[in-house]
Amino acid sequence: MSDLNVNWLKQNFDESNFVFFDVGCMNMDDSIKVKQAMPKAKVYAFECSNEWLNNNLNRAVDYGIHYFHTAVCHVDGTIPFNPSLTQNGHHHPDSGSIFVVNPNDNHGKVYGAPYEAKSVRLETFCNRLGVVPDFVHIDVEGAELKVFENVGDCKPKCVWAEVVTFDHYLTGTSRNEFDQLMNRIGYNKIFDGARDSLYCLTGFNVTPY
């Protein structure tokens, strides 16, 4: 679970019209946290790891969340996914990625053989369902830039992104390049944490985070 402040969300968004995307939702804890705090919100959760499939299908029903066993990235169709197995010898399915782990910066992680996962571009998904998120919470292990390179006209008002893992994988990009992309497509960074950053569209007024 991330440190996203749901009280801040409630201050800045109308619950009755709020659409929340949780991209790379893992076990769906953050989706549930938002749904419990804002019961009228429409919550969409995305996770392609097979490890979490049964858990998420059940929790989606229990909490009224729209769940998609799909990777959100830069490809419509399928994409190889590298499942996380262990970290420092302990079971650790949390960090699967469409990218191969960086052997020089792997933090003791071991990955299994890649398998094909369903994948979709953010813009494609939004156009198919006729929905645009107000807020995107994203943790896709270094693929955040690939997602927002393909956001098109479906820009959320705000984005909470994990930005610490670009160097953990062979992504060919960096945290600084992600910041530059977000600025280029119209976002200001309003919070910069050790692991996560919060970006909001220029002109969308929010309270201090």
Side-chain angles (χ1 to χ4, degrees):
M1 184 180 290
S2 77
D3 294 328
L4 177 63
N5 185 340
V6 293
N7 289 324
W8 183 89
L9 287 180
K10 293 172 71 173
Q11 291 171 5
N12 290 279
F13 294 92
D14 175 8
E15 176 186 340
S16 60
N17 298 303
F18 185 51
V19 178
F20 180 87
F21 278 19
D22 191 4
V23 180
C25 67
M26 200 175 72
N27 61 4
M28 232 157 40
D29 277 356
D30 288 296
S31 298
I32 292 169
K33 180 171 70 172
V34 170
K35 189 65 175 176
Q36 288 178 324
M38 305 173 74
K40 296 179 181 177
K42 294 180 180 178
V43 176
Y44 295 76
F46 305 82
E47 175 59 60
C48 72
S49 172
N50 291 338
E51 176 77 22
W52 303 109
L53 177 57
N54 290 333
N55 170 86
N56 290 352
L57 287 172
N58 291 330
R59 299 187 94 185
V61 172
D62 291 342
Y63 290 93
I65 292 169
H66 304 285
Y67 173 64
F68 299 86
H69 186 56
T70 303
V72 179
C73 59
H74 57 300
V75 175
D76 288 327
T78 63
I79 196 165
F81 177 76
N82 301 285
S84 171
L85 301 180
T86 64
Q87 184 171 19
N88 298 321
H90 301 286
H91 183 58
H92 185 79
D94 306 16
S95 302
S97 178
I98 64 171
F99 289 107
V100 175
V101 68
N102 183 346
N104 299 315
D105 189 22
N106 69 359
H107 292 253
K109 296 175 183 176
V110 175
Y111 287 75
Y115 52 81
E116 289 296 306
K118 290 182 181 179
S119 62
V120 69
R121 296 165 60 246
L122 189 61
E123 183 179 34
T124 301
F125 179 87
C126 291
N127 288 337
R128 282 176 182 169
L129 271 71
V131 63
V132 176
D134 294 296
F135 193 99
V136 170
H137 175 281
I138 182 167
D139 178 357
V140 287
E141 298 297 316
E144 289 79 7
L145 184 140
K146 290 296 185 183
V147 172
F148 279 93
E149 278 183 334
N150 291 272
V151 70
D153 293 327
C154 299
K155 295 177 184 176
K157 297 179 179 70
C158 294
V159 177
W160 178 274
E162 184 183 64
V163 289
V164 74
T165 58
F166 289 108
D167 293 336
H168 295 185
Y169 305 91
L170 301 180
T171 63
T173 190
S174 66
R175 180 173 184 165
N176 184 55
E177 288 175 290
F178 183 72
D179 283 347
Q180 292 175 1
L181 168 70
M182 296 302 284
N183 182 258
R184 194 161 60 247
I185 64 175
Y187 289 87
N188 293 322
K189 182 162 60 175
I190 67 167
F191 170 78
D192 197 19
R195 293 186 57 83
D196 306 293
S197 293
L198 176 61
Y199 308 83
C200 291
L201 280 174
T202 301
F204 180 64
N205 296 321
V206 294
T207 58
Y209 190 85

